[in-house]
Structure formats: structure tokens, C-alpha cells
Amino acid sequence: MTTTQSESHVLSKSCQYALRAVVYVARHASSSHLIGAQEMAESLEIPKHFLSKILQQLTRNQLVSSTKGPHGGFYLNDVNELTTIDRIVEVMDGPGLFKACVLGLPECSSTHPCPLHFEVVEYRDGFYHKLKRLTVKELAQFVHKGQIHL
Amino acid sequence: MTTTQSESHVLSKSCQYALRAVVYVARHASSSHLIGAQEMAESLEIPKHFLSKILQQLTRNQLVSSTKGPHGGFYLNDVNELTTIDRIVEVMDGPGLFKACVLGLPECSSTHPCPLHFEVVEYRDGFYHKLKRLTVKELAQFVHKGQIHL
DNA sequence: CAAATAAAGGATATATGGGTCTTTTATTCG
DNA sequence: CGAATAAAAGACCCATATATCCTTTATTTG
Ligand code: FES
Ligand code: FES
């Protein structure tokens, strides 16, 4: 009778957290005032230790910057600010999210298409190219104007 | 150094299998010649028992038809053939896949948008409406023309 | 009816993403 | 320098999706 749905999603939870965290840092941190994982976790309602892991991963890949010790924390340097969103998604969820076949076939191309390929490829690509053009800085600025939530 | 990517996806594996299976049935089965889970699993290279579970779920929701016993198997009746793809996705992955916020926020609407909302909502909706208009029958017909793979 | 067949159903195992905890390293400050 | 602080790192646990196995039910055929 009832169904056991898998509850799929476009971006993994790690990736969603990563994006929200990066935007938060972009908005609240400066070179003089760093943001700690603690504060971020509370404000964004993300499990603290899990968020730490994610931030680690982002810093390792140089998408955010950090310093240890008292008054340490995370911030974005000039390069970090210009990171495009697709880079963050790539680091968190791997490449291939935007390349892979919707039906999970091993290959995806117009010369080797699945039945859905030509139906949906424009949306996948559109989404991808949008994220490719969008920087963290720009995204953070959206939060200022209008009632944008994190 | 290295990253532990989550390898996300738009549709769950169950859902991908379901779609491929339904199209396969649409192409190969008729009221006189039913298709067994065995044959399907081999042709589509899907774990047999897992596929069975998925087909069960689809029949329970009346998206495919089946009969037991010798020469039993699966087929699509006239109603099943007109099932739209979004229904299959809904049954397998739950509703909300096309309604949920990309960043995982509890609400998604133009009055309560996240920073990405207005950037990506058109692609999500476009994808959704495409699947909403597309029937199993139509999808199966694409396989005939051109080199379409399952 | 009995035997064979194939789906339905349920119980269980495995892999992975999500989440927690503890220890180590680097930095600041008294 | 030593204490305090916060990120980095690694070990570990839990929930869920994925996958497998076994039993039951329905149907066909001899
Ligand atoms: S081949 Fe399936 S989406 Fe391109
Ligand atoms: S609110 Fe995030 S996508 Fe709509």
C-alpha cells in the first residue's frame, strides 16, 4: 500500500551546508573579524562538528581561509570571494553531478543518449552554467537586498 | 589534500532503475507477451531482487500491471502507458524533490527565498514541468528512433 | 489436483552519507 | 613560557539507501 521513498536531492546535505556556510562567512567575516565554526553552527542551525568537517574540506581546497588559536576562525580572502558556486559543488559532491546521465547510464552525450537525454539536458546544463558564472561574493550580496534567508 | 565527495544525484538509484524498467516494459511487453523480472534484470543489468522490489512498488501504485504464475510478468495497460514521468519520480523519490529548496531550507517560495532561489528556480521548474508533460508511452517511442540506449 | 512458475512480501545484510566525539596542532595572550 | 583558544585531524557511531535472501501467494499447465 504505502511506499518507501528514497528522498533524493540535487545537492548533498554537506554541499548545502557548505554553500550556506560560505555565504555566511562572506557576509559576516572580515580580515579583522573572523567567524568561528561555533557561531556559524548556531546561526545556521548546522551540527557543529559536521560543519567543522565541511569547513576543513573547503579550506583544504582553498575555497575559504582560516587561522587557528584565539580569535581564530574563517574568512574569505580576495581569491576566495571570487570562487564560483560550481567549484564548491564540485568539491563537495564531486564532478560528474552535472555530467552524469539522469538515468545513471555510464555515458551521457548526444551521441550516446538515454531516452530522457534530449528532454532534460537543457535544464541540467542551464543550472550548471548558472552556478559556473555565479561567485560567492555575488551570492552573498543577494542576501542584503530583499528578504533573503539562510 | 583529497576530498571525500558525497556523489549526489538528482534521482535516486531506485528511481533511475524504475524509469528504465518501465520504459523497457513499454517497449517489450504486450498483453500477450509479459516480461519477467528475471529477463529485465539481465537486459538492464540491474540487481534482480532489487528490481523486483521496485516493480512491486510500481504495481502497488498502479503504474505497471502484473500477473503471477507461469508466463506471468509485467506489462502496461492503457492507463499505465499514459503515466507521466513525474508520477514515477514522485512514487520512488517522494514529492518535494521538485518543491524543496536547493539549499535545504525548510521553506521555498518567492516570498521566502534563499540566495539561490531566483537563480535556479527556473531550471528546477522547467525540468519538473517537462517530466509532468512526458508520458511513459512517449518516452518509450524515443527509443525506437535514433540510437537511444537504456 | 499436483507440480511448476513467477510475483508479492518480509527479513536481513552491506555500503554510504550524515553526525558525534576525542586528540593533536597552531596561535594568541597574559 | 604556560594557559587558553580554535581549527585540523582522525576514530567512531547512526540512519538510510542499496542489495540479497527466503517464504508465501497466485496462476498456469499437465
Ligand atoms: S544520456 Fe541520459 S541524460 Fe544524457
Ligand atoms: S528557497 Fe531555496 S530554492 Fe527556493
Side-chain angles (χ1 to χ4, degrees):
Chain A
M1 197 64 179
T2 355
T3 51
T4 334
Q5 289 131 351
S6 309
E7 201 51 50
S8 185
H9 42 235
V10 180
L11 302 179
S12 71
K13 216 153 200 177
S14 303
C15 186
Q16 297 176 336
Y17 288 162
L19 290 170
R20 291 172 61 210
V22 168
V23 171
Y24 187 92
V25 170
R27 286 206 57 204
H28 293 92
S30 64
S31 44
S32 56
H33 178 66
L34 309 195
I35 300 291
Q38 180 73 44
E39 176 192 332
M40 234 183 292
E42 284 167 7
S43 296
L44 300 176
E45 295 180 290
I46 298 174
K48 181 192 167 181
H49 295 287
F50 191 26
L51 178 58
S52 295
K53 277 258 154 322
I54 292 167
L55 289 167
Q56 261 180 61
Q57 202 171 334
L58 292 172
T59 51
R60 256 189 275 123
N61 286 83
Q62 291 148 39
L63 302 184
V64 313
S65 306
S66 70
T67 55
K68 296 181 179 180
H71 303 113
F74 299 90
Y75 66 101
L76 302 186
N77 64 28
D78 296 346
V79 179
N80 298 151
E81 278 193 324
L82 299 178
T83 304
T84 52
I85 304 304
D86 74 295
R87 282 284 298 129
I88 298 176
V89 173
E90 193 183 326
V91 164
M92 298 307 300
D93 285 349
L97 169 57
F98 298 109
K99 315 276 188 199
C101 169
V102 191
L103 292 186
L105 299 191
E107 204 184 322
C108 171
S109 64
S110 44
T111 57
H112 210 92
C114 73
L116 271 177
H117 182 86
F118 294 114
E119 305 300 311
V120 306
V121 77
E122 77 178 277
Y123 303 110
R124 190 192 60 182
D125 288 357
F127 183 62
Y128 179 47
H129 288 121
K130 173 65 81 171
L131 298 192
K132 225 173 159 55
R133 285 193 305 272
L134 201 60
T135 67
V136 169
K137 191 174 188 175
E138 289 167 339
L139 199 59
Q141 283 166 349
F142 292 154
V143 185
H144 288 290
K145 32 195 159 202
Q147 292 305 320
I148 307 281
H149 299 75
L150 274 179
Chain B
M1 195 65 175
T2 355
T3 52
T4 334
Q5 289 132 350
S6 308
E7 202 52 48
S8 186
H9 42 236
V10 180
L11 303 179
S12 71
K13 216 155 200 177
S14 304
C15 186
Q16 297 176 337
Y17 289 162
L19 290 169
R20 291 172 61 209
V22 167
V23 170
Y24 186 92
V25 170
R27 286 206 58 203
H28 293 92
S30 64
S31 43
S32 55
H33 178 67
L34 309 195
I35 299 291
Q38 180 74 45
E39 175 192 333
M40 234 183 292
E42 284 166 7
S43 297
L44 299 176
E45 295 181 291
I46 298 174
K48 182 193 168 181
H49 296 287
F50 192 27
L51 179 57
S52 295
K53 278 260 154 316
I54 291 167
L55 289 167
Q56 260 179 59
Q57 201 171 336
L58 292 172
T59 52
R60 257 188 274 121
N61 286 83
Q62 291 147 38
L63 303 184
V64 314
S65 306
S66 69
T67 56
K68 295 181 178 181
H71 303 113
F74 300 89
Y75 66 101
L76 301 187
N77 64 28
D78 296 346
V79 179
N80 298 150
E81 278 192 324
L82 299 178
T83 304
T84 51
I85 304 303
D86 74 296
R87 283 283 298 128
I88 298 176
V89 174
E90 192 182 327
V91 164
M92 298 308 300
D93 286 349
L97 170 56
F98 298 109
K99 316 277 188 196
C101 169
V102 191
L103 292 186
L105 299 190
E107 205 185 322
C108 171
S109 64
S110 45
T111 57
H112 211 92
C114 73
L116 271 178
H117 182 86
F118 293 115
E119 305 299 313
V120 306
V121 78
E122 76 178 280
Y123 304 109
R124 189 191 62 182
D125 289 356
F127 183 63
Y128 179 47
H129 289 122
K130 173 65 81 173
L131 298 191
K132 224 173 159 55
R133 285 193 304 272
L134 201 60
T135 67
V136 169
K137 191 175 189 174
E138 290 167 339
L139 199 57
Q141 283 166 349
F142 293 155
V143 185
H144 289 289
K145 32 194 159 201
Q147 293 304 323
I148 306 280
H149 299 76
L150 271 181

